[in-house]
Amino acid sequence: MLWLAWPVLALVSWLQPACAEGCALAAIILLGVPHGALDGEIARPWMRARFGIGWFAAFAVPYLGLAALVLVAWDVAPRSSLAVFLAGSVWHFGAGQPGKASVLRIVAFGGLPIALPSLFHPAATAAVFQTVARAPIPELSGILRSCALVWLLAAAGWLTQSDPAGRRRRILQAAGLAATFALLPPLVAFALYFVTIHAPAHMRGIARDPVRAPRVDPSNVMLRSLPLTALTLLIGASLLPLYDAGSGSFIDRLLALTIQGLAALTLPHMLLDAVTAAPAGRIAWDEADRNLRHYPTA
Ligand SMILES: CC1=C(/C=C/C(C)=C/C=C/C(C)=C/C=C/C=C(C)/C=C/C=C(C)/C=C/C2=C(C)CCCC2(C)C)C(C)(C)CCC1
Ligand SMILES: [Fe+2]
């Protein structure tokens, strides 16, 4: 079903280029944000075992606090925030893939959605990042291109090292993504990657894992993500006036808010992922889940 986004967004970008960015942002917000909203389901067993009915507040306050710190950092130091965001995104996209993680694999896989637009459309990609950072960074397209060339070496190294059985599939997948990023505007191609590859892989991983989010299974995964998705959209809408009209069109403001918002949510999202996916974290989570089954009213 999500694959329908591919022809729809491609057609919009070719027939109505003026609407393409707005449609890409709508896809990122409506179809991409729900994968992070499952964080509530991941935290629930462990937090409920400790904090009882007040578990959500005990979880949400530090989560939102971390996110708020990131938003302040974008305002105070936009260039460093962009650099940290890009490095964190590479890690987030690369580590989220199934299979054994290595640094080369994380860089090759995670760098793909950032390096490909930087190679094919350096100026347009740099323009989007400057709108996101709300600061002029004239040297950015050159930096992006150089980083993308280093990424090409890492990707080639990883492909030659990886096992021959899956190599053909990986080359085909990378070629499909390269075609997408070459043919479509950077934001549209990124939206397609985010909503049809990254978010579904994350949601499938959680839905099939009986320990991390015991209430979530493949039949209810979208439903379980709805409450916190709605709350996130409300919080996002309340922040829009802070992204003032003086700094560009409505779409530019929405772009800055959406990507800065994703960056802000990524910090607690990645921390939770690291804690619950690490072996020690999984044992603690498992125990909390057993306790909860023992004392279901806790
Ligand atoms: C739990 C909780 C919650 C929720 C949460 C959520 C919902 C999360 C999400 C999360 C997420 C959802 C995350 C995400 C991430 C993402 C990322 C990390 C991204 C990145 C990106 C990038 C890097 C891009 C780039 C680019 C390109 C490449 C081209 C074009 C342009 C652009 C810029 C787009 C709340 C707050 C309500 C409350 C508390 C609790
Ligand atoms: Fe994610």
Side-chain angles (χ1 to χ4, degrees):
M1 186 69 179
L2 276 176
W3 290 99
L4 278 179
W6 221 278
V8 171
L9 279 183
L11 274 180
V12 171
S13 346
W14 284 318
L15 301 178
Q16 292 289 331
C19 304
E21 283 208 334
C23 293
L25 285 174
I28 291 174
I29 295 168
L30 298 175
L31 304 174
V33 169
H35 90 279
L38 288 175
D39 284 0
E41 287 297 328
I42 294 176
R44 188 187 168 90
W46 201 71
M47 297 297 283
R48 252 187 84 185
R50 271 151 206 255
F51 298 96
I53 51 164
W55 76 268
F56 182 69
F59 170 63
V61 170
Y63 197 106
L64 285 170
L66 280 176
L69 275 183
V70 177
L71 289 182
V72 171
W74 276 102
D75 205 40
V76 177
R79 288 160 171 253
S80 321
S81 300
L82 179 63
V84 173
F85 170 54
L86 291 182
S89 302
V90 170
W91 185 268
H92 181 64
F93 294 142
Q97 290 295 318
K100 201 168 147 270
S102 70
V103 174
L104 194 60
R105 200 193 80 137
I106 289 176
V107 172
F109 232 104
L112 194 141
I114 300 167
L116 287 177
S118 306
L119 273 178
F120 292 121
H121 313 280
T125 306
V128 179
F129 284 136
Q130 291 177 88
T131 306
V132 169
R134 301 201 289 167
I137 315 177
E139 67 284 19
L140 188 60
S141 64
I143 298 177
L144 286 175
R145 232 192 137 88
S146 314
C147 293
L149 290 174
V150 175
W151 171 83
L152 261 186
L153 292 179
W158 174 66
L159 272 179
T160 47
Q161 270 185 19
S162 60
D163 68 297
R167 195 175 298 157
R168 212 176 96 94
R169 187 176 45 81
R170 257 172 244 125
I171 291 177
L172 282 177
Q173 195 184 21
L177 281 168
T180 306
F181 277 98
L183 294 173
L184 296 175
L187 189 64
V188 174
F190 172 76
L192 285 172
Y193 164 81
F194 193 56
V195 307
T196 64
I197 296 181
H198 175 74
H202 190 110
M203 290 183 105
R204 258 196 314 272
I206 294 173
R208 288 184 188 152
D209 187 333
V211 174
R212 288 177 81 202
R215 294 199 324 162
V216 179
D217 62 51
S219 68
N220 66 12
V221 60
M222 264 331 246
L223 201 69
R224 293 283 188 217
S225 70
L226 278 183
L228 287 188
T229 302
L231 185 57
T232 308
L233 297 192
L234 273 179
I235 297 172
S238 71
L239 292 177
L240 192 59
L242 297 180
Y243 289 71
D244 56 85
S247 61
S249 66
F250 174 75
I251 292 295
D252 282 355
R253 292 165 62 204
L254 191 63
L255 172 64
L257 171 62
T258 306
I259 303 293
Q260 285 194 10
L262 286 186
L265 293 171
T266 300
L267 177 63
H269 177 63
M270 277 174 71
L271 282 178
L272 187 72
D273 212 40
V275 172
T276 58
R282 282 191 65 108
I283 293 165
W285 235 249
D286 207 7
E287 266 167 20
D289 184 40
R290 272 202 302 276
N291 290 345
L292 202 67
R293 281 171 212 212
H294 231 83
Y295 308 106
T297 51

